[in-house]
Amino acid sequence: MQEMIAAPALGAVHPFLSAAGPTAAQALLAAARPFAAPRRDVIFAPEREAEALYLLLEGSVGLSMQGAGESRGLLEIIGPDDCFLMPAVILGGAWPFGAEALAPSRLLRIPAEAFHGIMVEEPRLAEASLTQMARQWRGLADQLTELKMTKASERVAHFLTERLLPSGRVAMPEPRAAIAARLGMTPESLSRAMHGLEAAGLVRLQGRRVEVPDAKALSGAARASGP
């Protein structure tokens, strides 16, 4: 169940709000509803009309599509400082993607009607929205290229490199099954790839904890044959 959170708990300004400019950001925050979503909470169901733009402040959200029966396919994992449903809010109508919290998350929900009204008055918000959609499109294009052109171990190495913290640990709050689906493999294949990287001395595994002793070496493994 989603829980409301107080506005002072919003923390640092979201990058999208910064790009939209102070006037638009203030208006968007005034219209926004901040809330907390526990793990596995359904934030937005597939095939529903998009009524709001979501800004992720903290946590992890998976975007998925509903298949036959109870099957679902994970399309992307959204991390902090990102947003989702932008194309749906701009185009309107039903949207095939759904969103579920993969880890305890904090978000801002901005109603589509308010978003459109502010965009009419603030051209900088339109520019920020176009940039955001272009960035997400590029991310999906890179993901498709990666799935088509690289080996499983290279995809895993690239994913770990992107999640690497300054401390040398890898941020992986999501269930391993969700990460495997994002990388286009089974959980068993993900496990084999992780242990392969460990055998090569590129990572250290301690339960769910993943540490990287040499970030440059891991990055080199991610680029072994990929783009």
Side-chain angles (χ1 to χ4, degrees):
M1 178 182 295
Q2 298 172 1
E3 300 177 358
M4 294 291 292
I5 57 176
L10 296 180
V13 175
H14 193 281
F16 176 73
L17 296 179
S18 298
T23 304
Q26 184 176 4
L28 290 170
L29 284 172
R33 178 176 71 91
F35 67 94
R39 187 191 299 271
R40 297 182 180 177
D41 190 52
V42 176
I43 299 168
F44 180 81
E47 304 298 341
R48 284 185 53 190
E49 184 172 352
E51 298 177 346
L53 173 70
Y54 293 86
L55 275 57
L56 183 57
L57 306 174
E58 182 180 289
S60 179
V61 171
L63 301 184
S64 61
M65 296 184 69
Q66 188 73 41
E70 296 297 321
S71 66
R72 285 188 302 171
L74 185 69
L75 301 174
E76 182 60 287
I77 294 177
I78 302 297
D81 294 340
D82 210 339
C83 62
F84 54 97
L85 292 187
M86 177 76 74
V89 168
I90 291 178
L91 293 175
W95 205 246
F97 304 151
E100 178 181 342
L102 300 178
S105 302
R106 296 191 303 125
L107 306 98
L108 285 177
R109 183 184 187 277
I110 302 173
E113 184 177 357
F115 180 83
H116 282 284
I118 297 167
M119 182 180 287
V120 170
E121 300 294 331
E122 294 293 329
R124 190 170 167 182
L125 175 57
E127 181 181 353
S129 300
L130 288 172
T131 300
Q132 178 69 26
M133 287 193 293
R135 185 179 294 115
Q136 291 180 342
W137 179 89
R138 174 57 190 267
L140 290 174
D142 288 345
Q143 180 181 338
L144 179 60
T145 301
E146 194 174 67
L147 289 172
K148 295 286 188 179
M149 303 296 291
T150 64
K151 297 185 294 186
S153 60
E154 294 160 0
R155 296 201 298 274
V156 174
H158 184 225
F159 181 83
L160 297 178
T161 299
E162 289 188 323
R163 294 294 191 89
L164 187 59
L165 302 173
S167 63
R169 291 186 61 187
V170 177
M172 297 176 67
E174 304 88 357
R176 292 296 171 88
I179 294 173
R182 159 62 179 81
L183 295 175
M185 61 185 70
T186 64
E188 294 76 17
S189 296
L190 173 62
S191 180
R192 285 194 296 269
M194 294 279 284
H195 283 94
L197 294 173
E198 183 180 37
L202 297 173
V203 301
R204 288 194 293 263
L205 305 178
Q206 300 177 359
R208 289 189 55 83
R209 185 186 179 105
V210 180
E211 295 182 346
V212 177
D214 188 337
K216 187 175 181 180
L218 182 64
S219 178
R223 297 194 304 268
S225 66

